[in-house]
Amino acid sequence: MARRPTIKDIARRAGVSESAVSFALNDRPGVSQDTRARIRRVAEELGWQPNSAARALSGERSGAVGLVLARPAHTLGVESFFLQLVSGIQEVLAAERTALLFQVAPDLDAECAVYRRWWAERRVDGVLVVDPRTDDPRPALLEQLGLPAVTVGQSDPPSALTSVWADDAGAMAQVLDHLYGLGHRRIAHVAGLPGLAHTARRIESLRTQAERRGLGPDRVRSVLTDYSDAEGAAATRRILAEPEPPTALVYDNDVMAVAGIAVAAELGIPVPGRLSIVAWDDSALCRVTHPRLTALVRDTAGFGRLAAEELLAALAGGPPRSRESERPRLEPRESTAPPSAAAY
């Protein structure tokens, strides 16, 4: 196994003292510009990298930020949203030579325990907090620890934290405008996990927009799932078995929408002839399914880039602020159409 180069190796190769190497590599005075340049050239030739643990113990940055995801593990492999989000985050961090430390936790208590451990061990300089809750203990904990953080998806964060967010309420209003304009008056929303702030915003927006049009809870409603294709399919079967089933279904992600269209085919219900379907997040799945799915389109990777940029700005001493990402837009495709006359 190859031995990692040390400061002593650099000093020997450059013909200087170890203290001179330390001054040069840590941007401290005490060596000339020519000597500093020679030391850094030798360090690069040897492939030397700073020891992140030692730097953390000395009070310097660790060069890493953290992301903990507290969701059922079986839902992660089928949902494209987080893959796109992380790709955007990584794009920004890689350009700044900052590592991303990622961990999956079984629940919120375990996630908070990870933050405490990372803080105690100085493993990360800051964290990205996803899936904001309606009653969320994490912002207060992070403020108490003094660990810089950016919340992803929280439209009204505590003043001490920066937040990036998307207009879920406006997006749901677009969906209902589209379906109502087509003539749909019985609509069901197959929502995601309970307790998530964006789930609550979407449900509230759907209810508000429906009431504005004189549609009560007997006509427009939401049901909760875990975002998986299995629960999306099970919810669809229950809804379509009702005496007066909805003529339109809105799903909180692409995977559940595709599962829903498969259930409709299994039951002999044509889409969009007797049932219209809308997916919340557009993806390749929505574009290759037959018929192609009407979906809310947004730049999820761009959302991740914005989150990472804001965290780096916070680490540089920038003030907390709230940043709205690009607003989602509805792209109508072949899965939505006016309801058949037989439906009413």
Side-chain angles (χ1 to χ4, degrees):
M1 183 180 295
R3 184 175 65 86
R4 291 188 179 92
T6 66
I7 285 180
K8 183 179 291 187
D9 297 325
I10 298 170
R12 185 182 304 114
R13 174 80 68 88
V16 298
S17 67
E18 292 179 35
S19 59
V21 174
S22 179
F23 291 154
L25 296 179
N26 290 292
D27 286 323
R28 292 173 182 162
V31 292
S32 68
Q33 289 301 318
D34 287 344
T35 301
R36 189 186 304 274
R38 184 168 81 254
I39 290 170
R40 289 184 171 178
R41 184 172 61 253
V42 170
E44 185 174 351
E45 289 171 357
L46 292 175
W48 178 86
Q49 293 292 332
N51 185 308
S52 59
R55 293 181 65 182
L57 288 173
S58 68
E60 296 184 48
R61 288 188 180 178
S62 68
V65 299
L67 171 62
V68 184
L69 193 56
R71 278 202 184 188
H74 69 276
T75 68
L76 301 181
V78 295
E79 192 175 11
S80 63
F81 174 83
F82 277 106
L83 292 176
Q84 295 177 51
L85 183 76
V86 170
S87 73
I89 291 169
Q90 185 60 31
E91 183 181 340
V92 171
L93 297 182
E96 297 297 323
R97 301 185 70 179
T98 299
L100 177 64
L101 187 58
F102 177 75
Q103 186 162 334
V104 176
D107 53 42
L108 206 56
D109 288 341
E111 179 178 344
C112 289
V114 171
Y115 294 143
R116 292 188 184 94
R117 186 175 72 254
W118 281 352
W119 171 80
E121 297 173 354
R122 301 185 184 182
R123 296 285 299 278
V124 297
D125 300 318
V127 294
L128 294 160
V129 181
V130 297
D131 284 344
R133 268 53 173 191
T134 51
D135 185 15
D136 202 327
R138 294 172 297 174
L141 170 63
L142 294 168
E143 187 174 355
Q144 176 190 349
L145 295 175
L147 189 58
V150 170
T151 60
V152 181
Q154 183 76 355
S155 59
D156 52 347
S159 58
L161 296 183
T162 288
S163 176
V164 298
W165 57 281
D167 186 3
D168 290 294
M172 183 61 85
Q174 289 184 61
V175 172
L176 198 60
D177 280 343
H178 174 66
L179 294 175
Y180 189 88
L182 290 173
H184 294 278
R185 300 297 183 267
R186 294 199 304 270
I187 302 167
H189 168 215
V190 183
L193 288 162
L196 298 184
H198 65 260
T199 300
R201 286 196 300 269
R202 294 174 189 181
I203 290 173
E204 179 61 27
S205 177
L206 179 68
R207 180 165 50 242
T208 300
Q209 296 297 326
E211 288 174 353
R212 283 183 51 210
R213 294 164 175 80
L215 303 176
D218 59 324
R219 290 275 178 164
V220 178
R221 68 193 188 283
S222 299
V223 296
L224 297 168
T225 71
D226 66 358
Y227 282 115
S228 70
D229 55 333
E231 286 207 11
T236 303
R237 286 192 182 90
R238 290 195 304 271
I239 290 168
L240 295 181
E242 295 171 356
E244 286 190 314
T247 60
L249 295 175
V250 181
Y251 293 87
D252 259 4
N253 68 10
D254 55 342
V255 173
M256 293 197 297
V258 171
I261 206 168
V263 169
E266 173 191 317
L267 298 176
I269 300 173
V271 175
R274 284 175 50 200
L275 179 69
S276 286
I277 289 180
V278 177
W280 192 270
D281 282 314
D282 190 30
S283 71
L285 279 176
C286 298
R287 298 187 292 273
V288 301
T289 300
H290 180 74
R292 295 187 309 153
L293 287 168
T294 294
L296 280 161
V297 178
R298 63 174 171 179
D299 183 4
T300 304
F303 196 27
R305 288 192 294 270
L306 179 62
E309 288 164 359
E310 287 302 314
L311 182 54
L312 292 177
L315 294 178
R321 57 184 177 175
S322 177
R323 295 283 307 278
E324 181 180 358
S325 70
E326 175 189 352
R327 183 164 297 184
R329 60 176 177 80
L330 187 70
E331 183 166 324
R333 297 190 181 114
E334 293 86 2
S335 68
T336 51
S340 66
Y344 293 98

Tab-separated table of all heavy atoms in Angstrom, residues 13-56:
chain	number	residue	atom	x	y	z
A	13	ARG	N	12.142	17.170	0.103
A	13	ARG	CA	12.231	17.358	-1.354
A	13	ARG	C	12.506	18.825	-1.715
A	13	ARG	O	13.268	19.104	-2.640
A	13	ARG	CB	10.920	16.888	-2.002
A	13	ARG	CG	10.801	17.166	-3.507
A	13	ARG	CD	11.561	16.142	-4.332
A	13	ARG	NE	10.945	14.833	-4.243
A	13	ARG	CZ	9.966	14.398	-5.054
A	13	ARG	NH1	9.494	15.202	-6.002
A	13	ARG	NH2	9.492	13.183	-4.925
A	14	ALA	N	11.874	19.768	-0.970
A	14	ALA	CA	12.018	21.189	-1.295
A	14	ALA	C	13.264	21.807	-0.672
A	14	ALA	O	13.628	22.939	-1.009
A	14	ALA	CB	10.775	21.957	-0.833
A	15	GLY	N	13.906	21.079	0.238
A	15	GLY	CA	15.103	21.592	0.871
A	15	GLY	C	14.826	22.719	1.850
A	15	GLY	O	15.623	23.666	1.961
A	16	VAL	N	13.722	22.615	2.581
A	16	VAL	CA	13.354	23.644	3.563
A	16	VAL	C	12.972	22.954	4.864
A	16	VAL	O	12.897	21.726	4.948
A	16	VAL	CB	12.179	24.515	3.055
A	16	VAL	CG1	12.557	25.272	1.790
A	16	VAL	CG2	10.933	23.642	2.810
A	17	SER	N	12.677	23.758	5.885
A	17	SER	CA	12.255	23.207	7.171
A	17	SER	C	10.775	22.832	7.135
A	17	SER	O	10.013	23.318	6.288
A	17	SER	CB	12.485	24.229	8.287
A	17	SER	OG	11.621	25.336	8.105
A	18	GLU	N	10.375	21.975	8.069
A	18	GLU	CA	8.959	21.595	8.155
A	18	GLU	C	8.089	22.788	8.509
A	18	GLU	O	6.939	22.896	8.053
A	18	GLU	CB	8.791	20.479	9.193
A	18	GLU	CG	9.418	19.159	8.773
A	18	GLU	CD	9.264	18.085	9.825
A	18	GLU	OE1	8.204	18.086	10.501
A	18	GLU	OE2	10.169	17.250	9.983
A	19	SER	N	8.607	23.699	9.329
A	19	SER	CA	7.822	24.891	9.679
A	19	SER	C	7.587	25.759	8.455
A	19	SER	O	6.507	26.349	8.285
A	19	SER	CB	8.515	25.694	10.777
A	19	SER	OG	9.817	26.095	10.357
A	20	ALA	N	8.581	25.830	7.565
A	20	ALA	CA	8.393	26.607	6.329
A	20	ALA	C	7.296	25.991	5.469
A	20	ALA	O	6.485	26.696	4.862
A	20	ALA	CB	9.709	26.679	5.550
A	21	VAL	N	7.257	24.657	5.406
A	21	VAL	CA	6.197	23.975	4.656
A	21	VAL	C	4.833	24.294	5.258
A	21	VAL	O	3.867	24.595	4.545
A	21	VAL	CB	6.434	22.448	4.649
A	21	VAL	CG1	5.252	21.736	3.992
A	21	VAL	CG2	7.718	22.113	3.920
A	22	SER	N	4.735	24.259	6.588
A	22	SER	CA	3.471	24.559	7.259
A	22	SER	C	3.018	25.974	6.954
A	22	SER	O	1.840	26.221	6.654
A	22	SER	CB	3.629	24.368	8.771
A	22	SER	OG	2.425	24.684	9.442
A	23	PHE	N	3.972	26.944	7.010
A	23	PHE	CA	3.621	28.332	6.701
A	23	PHE	C	3.105	28.451	5.269
A	23	PHE	O	2.096	29.123	5.008
A	23	PHE	CB	4.848	29.237	6.868
A	23	PHE	CG	5.296	29.414	8.292
A	23	PHE	CD1	6.618	29.710	8.584
A	23	PHE	CD2	4.400	29.273	9.349
A	23	PHE	CE1	7.040	29.875	9.891
A	23	PHE	CE2	4.807	29.427	10.654
A	23	PHE	CZ	6.132	29.733	10.936
A	24	ALA	N	3.798	27.807	4.337
A	24	ALA	CA	3.443	27.942	2.925
A	24	ALA	C	2.088	27.323	2.615
A	24	ALA	O	1.271	27.901	1.894
A	24	ALA	CB	4.526	27.302	2.060
A	25	LEU	N	1.843	26.116	3.148
A	25	LEU	CA	0.608	25.405	2.815
A	25	LEU	C	-0.610	25.966	3.529
A	25	LEU	O	-1.741	25.726	3.112
A	25	LEU	CB	0.759	23.919	3.142
A	25	LEU	CG	1.821	23.171	2.332
A	25	LEU	CD1	1.882	21.713	2.764
A	25	LEU	CD2	1.546	23.271	0.832
A	26	ASN	N	-0.393	26.730	4.602
A	26	ASN	CA	-1.511	27.313	5.348
A	26	ASN	C	-1.639	28.810	5.134
A	26	ASN	O	-2.345	29.490	5.894
A	26	ASN	CB	-1.361	27.004	6.838
A	26	ASN	CG	-1.594	25.543	7.154
A	26	ASN	OD1	-2.707	25.043	7.044
A	26	ASN	ND2	-0.525	24.837	7.529
A	27	ASP	N	-0.963	29.326	4.078
A	27	ASP	CA	-1.059	30.745	3.717
A	27	ASP	C	-0.697	31.666	4.877
A	27	ASP	O	-1.352	32.689	5.099
A	27	ASP	CB	-2.471	31.084	3.204
A	27	ASP	CG	-2.702	30.531	1.812
A	27	ASP	OD1	-1.751	30.536	1.011
A	27	ASP	OD2	-3.840	30.091	1.538
A	28	ARG	N	0.366	31.323	5.599
A	28	ARG	CA	0.816	32.159	6.709
A	28	ARG	C	2.119	32.859	6.328
A	28	ARG	O	2.904	32.331	5.532
A	28	ARG	CB	1.016	31.307	7.962
A	28	ARG	CG	-0.293	30.758	8.513
A	28	ARG	CD	-0.055	29.794	9.648
A	28	ARG	NE	-1.305	29.224	10.141
A	28	ARG	CZ	-1.399	28.134	10.872
A	28	ARG	NH1	-0.294	27.479	11.218
A	28	ARG	NH2	-2.568	27.682	11.292
A	29	PRO	N	2.357	34.032	6.912
A	29	PRO	CA	3.622	34.718	6.619
A	29	PRO	C	4.800	33.943	7.210
A	29	PRO	O	4.630	33.097	8.082
A	29	PRO	CB	3.442	36.077	7.304
A	29	PRO	CG	2.426	35.845	8.382
A	29	PRO	CD	1.497	34.791	7.846
A	30	GLY	N	6.006	34.258	6.717
A	30	GLY	CA	7.194	33.601	7.250
A	30	GLY	C	8.066	32.980	6.191
A	30	GLY	O	9.186	32.540	6.477
A	31	VAL	N	7.583	32.945	4.926
A	31	VAL	CA	8.391	32.440	3.814
A	31	VAL	C	8.237	33.390	2.631
A	31	VAL	O	7.218	34.076	2.496
A	31	VAL	CB	7.964	31.014	3.392
A	31	VAL	CG1	8.293	30.007	4.477
A	31	VAL	CG2	6.487	30.961	3.039
A	32	SER	N	9.244	33.420	1.766
A	32	SER	CA	9.184	34.287	0.591
A	32	SER	C	8.212	33.712	-0.432
A	32	SER	O	7.848	32.527	-0.378
A	32	SER	CB	10.565	34.411	-0.038
A	32	SER	OG	10.954	33.164	-0.609
A	33	GLN	N	7.810	34.544	-1.386
A	33	GLN	CA	6.886	34.088	-2.427
A	33	GLN	C	7.504	32.972	-3.263
A	33	GLN	O	6.827	32.015	-3.637
A	33	GLN	CB	6.491	35.273	-3.327
A	33	GLN	CG	5.582	36.290	-2.659
A	33	GLN	CD	4.281	35.644	-2.177
A	33	GLN	OE1	3.682	34.815	-2.864
A	33	GLN	NE2	3.846	36.032	-0.979
A	34	ASP	N	8.812	33.093	-3.563
A	34	ASP	CA	9.464	32.046	-4.355
A	34	ASP	C	9.479	30.721	-3.609
A	34	ASP	O	9.207	29.649	-4.185
A	34	ASP	CB	10.898	32.472	-4.689
A	34	ASP	CG	10.941	33.573	-5.735
A	34	ASP	OD1	9.908	33.786	-6.398
A	34	ASP	OD2	11.997	34.221	-5.870
A	35	THR	N	9.788	30.777	-2.302
A	35	THR	CA	9.811	29.552	-1.495
A	35	THR	C	8.410	28.952	-1.375
A	35	THR	O	8.236	27.732	-1.463
A	35	THR	CB	10.384	29.845	-0.099
A	35	THR	OG1	11.701	30.370	-0.240
A	35	THR	CG2	10.427	28.587	0.760
A	36	ARG	N	7.421	29.820	-1.175
A	36	ARG	CA	6.029	29.357	-1.076
A	36	ARG	C	5.626	28.623	-2.360
A	36	ARG	O	5.021	27.546	-2.312
A	36	ARG	CB	5.097	30.544	-0.817
A	36	ARG	CG	3.664	30.155	-0.479
A	36	ARG	CD	2.782	31.400	-0.373
A	36	ARG	NE	3.312	32.333	0.600
A	36	ARG	CZ	3.068	32.294	1.910
A	36	ARG	NH1	2.291	31.331	2.392
A	36	ARG	NH2	3.586	33.195	2.726
A	37	ALA	N	5.980	29.214	-3.494
A	37	ALA	CA	5.619	28.603	-4.776
A	37	ALA	C	6.324	27.264	-4.948
A	37	ALA	O	5.731	26.297	-5.445
A	37	ALA	CB	5.971	29.553	-5.921
A	38	ARG	N	7.618	27.179	-4.553
A	38	ARG	CA	8.360	25.934	-4.693
A	38	ARG	C	7.766	24.838	-3.810
A	38	ARG	O	7.612	23.682	-4.244
A	38	ARG	CB	9.835	26.158	-4.323
A	38	ARG	CG	10.693	24.910	-4.551
A	38	ARG	CD	12.180	25.208	-4.467
A	38	ARG	NE	12.661	25.263	-3.097
A	38	ARG	CZ	12.981	26.385	-2.449
A	38	ARG	NH1	12.858	27.573	-3.059
A	38	ARG	NH2	13.444	26.353	-1.206
A	39	ILE	N	7.415	25.199	-2.592
A	39	ILE	CA	6.828	24.219	-1.668
A	39	ILE	C	5.498	23.692	-2.202
A	39	ILE	O	5.233	22.479	-2.177
A	39	ILE	CB	6.657	24.851	-0.269
A	39	ILE	CG1	8.030	25.076	0.379
A	39	ILE	CG2	5.770	23.981	0.617
A	39	ILE	CD1	7.983	25.901	1.658
A	40	ARG	N	4.677	24.583	-2.708
A	40	ARG	CA	3.374	24.148	-3.226
A	40	ARG	C	3.545	23.279	-4.473
A	40	ARG	O	2.769	22.341	-4.683
A	40	ARG	CB	2.505	25.366	-3.520
A	40	ARG	CG	2.023	26.066	-2.259
A	40	ARG	CD	1.098	27.202	-2.576
A	40	ARG	NE	0.481	27.714	-1.361
A	40	ARG	CZ	-0.355	28.750	-1.332
A	40	ARG	NH1	-0.666	29.378	-2.457
A	40	ARG	NH2	-0.872	29.155	-0.185
A	41	ARG	N	4.549	23.587	-5.286
A	41	ARG	CA	4.796	22.767	-6.483
A	41	ARG	C	5.223	21.358	-6.075
A	41	ARG	O	4.755	20.363	-6.634
A	41	ARG	CB	5.864	23.432	-7.349
A	41	ARG	CG	6.110	22.698	-8.670
A	41	ARG	CD	7.036	23.488	-9.590
A	41	ARG	NE	8.362	23.702	-9.001
A	41	ARG	CZ	8.797	24.873	-8.534
A	41	ARG	NH1	8.010	25.947	-8.597
A	41	ARG	NH2	10.022	24.980	-8.029
A	42	VAL	N	6.098	21.266	-5.088
A	42	VAL	CA	6.539	19.965	-4.598
A	42	VAL	C	5.368	19.193	-3.993
A	42	VAL	O	5.213	17.979	-4.222
A	42	VAL	CB	7.678	20.135	-3.565
A	42	VAL	CG1	7.968	18.814	-2.860
A	42	VAL	CG2	8.933	20.660	-4.246
A	43	ALA	N	4.529	19.886	-3.206
A	43	ALA	CA	3.369	19.232	-2.588
A	43	ALA	C	2.450	18.653	-3.649
A	43	ALA	O	1.931	17.530	-3.508
A	43	ALA	CB	2.617	20.233	-1.710
A	44	GLU	N	2.266	19.391	-4.742
A	44	GLU	CA	1.406	18.907	-5.826
A	44	GLU	C	2.047	17.708	-6.524
A	44	GLU	O	1.370	16.732	-6.854
A	44	GLU	CB	1.153	20.033	-6.822
A	44	GLU	CG	0.175	19.664	-7.921
A	44	GLU	CD	-0.177	20.845	-8.811
A	44	GLU	OE1	0.201	21.982	-8.468
A	44	GLU	OE2	-0.822	20.616	-9.844
A	45	GLU	N	3.368	17.762	-6.731
A	45	GLU	CA	4.056	16.644	-7.370
A	45	GLU	C	3.948	15.364	-6.544
A	45	GLU	O	3.800	14.266	-7.088
A	45	GLU	CB	5.534	17.009	-7.563
A	45	GLU	CG	5.782	18.073	-8.629
A	45	GLU	CD	7.230	18.563	-8.621
A	45	GLU	OE1	8.004	18.106	-7.734
A	45	GLU	OE2	7.569	19.389	-9.478
A	46	LEU	N	3.993	15.516	-5.230
A	46	LEU	CA	3.925	14.358	-4.344
A	46	LEU	C	2.493	13.871	-4.099
A	46	LEU	O	2.289	12.804	-3.529
A	46	LEU	CB	4.583	14.682	-2.993
A	46	LEU	CG	6.102	14.898	-3.016
A	46	LEU	CD1	6.588	15.330	-1.634
A	46	LEU	CD2	6.813	13.621	-3.442
A	47	GLY	N	1.512	14.684	-4.537
A	47	GLY	CA	0.109	14.302	-4.309
A	47	GLY	C	-0.341	14.503	-2.875
A	47	GLY	O	-1.243	13.816	-2.390
A	48	TRP	N	0.264	15.470	-2.184
A	48	TRP	CA	-0.084	15.718	-0.778
A	48	TRP	C	-1.452	16.373	-0.672
A	48	TRP	O	-1.822	17.231	-1.474
A	48	TRP	CB	0.973	16.629	-0.148
A	48	TRP	CG	0.681	16.989	1.288
A	48	TRP	CD1	1.013	16.283	2.396
A	48	TRP	CD2	-0.007	18.160	1.749
A	48	TRP	NE1	0.579	16.918	3.528
A	48	TRP	CE2	-0.064	18.086	3.160
A	48	TRP	CE3	-0.591	19.255	1.110
A	48	TRP	CZ2	-0.665	19.061	3.945
A	48	TRP	CZ3	-1.189	20.225	1.885
A	48	TRP	CH2	-1.224	20.122	3.282
A	49	GLN	N	-2.262	15.964	0.306
A	49	GLN	CA	-3.547	16.569	0.634
A	49	GLN	C	-3.598	16.800	2.137
A	49	GLN	O	-3.058	15.991	2.903
A	49	GLN	CB	-4.721	15.677	0.222
A	49	GLN	CG	-4.881	15.515	-1.276
A	49	GLN	CD	-5.312	16.796	-1.953
A	49	GLN	OE1	-5.977	17.637	-1.346
A	49	GLN	NE2	-4.936	16.963	-3.212
A	50	PRO	N	-4.230	17.897	2.588
A	50	PRO	CA	-4.300	18.150	4.030
A	50	PRO	C	-5.122	17.085	4.734
A	50	PRO	O	-6.080	16.544	4.172
A	50	PRO	CB	-4.979	19.522	4.126
A	50	PRO	CG	-5.723	19.672	2.843
A	50	PRO	CD	-4.909	18.955	1.805
A	51	ASN	N	-4.747	16.760	5.950
A	51	ASN	CA	-5.481	15.815	6.792
A	51	ASN	C	-6.683	16.531	7.378
A	51	ASN	O	-6.543	17.433	8.197
A	51	ASN	CB	-4.564	15.302	7.907
A	51	ASN	CG	-5.222	14.231	8.741
A	51	ASN	OD1	-6.327	14.406	9.237
A	51	ASN	ND2	-4.537	13.111	8.896
A	52	SER	N	-7.902	16.144	6.935
A	52	SER	CA	-9.097	16.873	7.361
A	52	SER	C	-9.330	16.762	8.859
A	52	SER	O	-9.782	17.714	9.500
A	52	SER	CB	-10.329	16.362	6.599
A	52	SER	OG	-10.514	14.996	6.829
A	53	ALA	N	-9.008	15.602	9.446
A	53	ALA	CA	-9.200	15.452	10.889
A	53	ALA	C	-8.277	16.380	11.659
A	53	ALA	O	-8.675	17.031	12.630
A	53	ALA	CB	-8.964	13.997	11.293
A	54	ALA	N	-7.000	16.444	11.215
A	54	ALA	CA	-6.049	17.316	11.898
A	54	ALA	C	-6.436	18.771	11.741
A	54	ALA	O	-6.327	19.572	12.681
A	54	ALA	CB	-4.646	17.070	11.330
A	55	ARG	N	-6.923	19.138	10.549
A	55	ARG	CA	-7.341	20.520	10.331
A	55	ARG	C	-8.526	20.865	11.224
A	55	ARG	O	-8.615	21.971	11.759
A	55	ARG	CB	-7.708	20.731	8.862
A	55	ARG	CG	-6.528	20.621	7.928
A	55	ARG	CD	-6.928	20.863	6.488
A	55	ARG	NE	-7.392	22.240	6.302
A	55	ARG	CZ	-7.837	22.704	5.139
A	55	ARG	NH1	-7.891	21.912	4.086
A	55	ARG	NH2	-8.244	23.943	5.029
A	56	ALA	N	-9.458	19.933	11.386
A	56	ALA	CA	-10.615	20.188	12.240
A	56	ALA	C	-10.182	20.399	13.685
A	56	ALA	O	-10.676	21.295	14.376
A	56	ALA	CB	-11.592	19.023	12.148
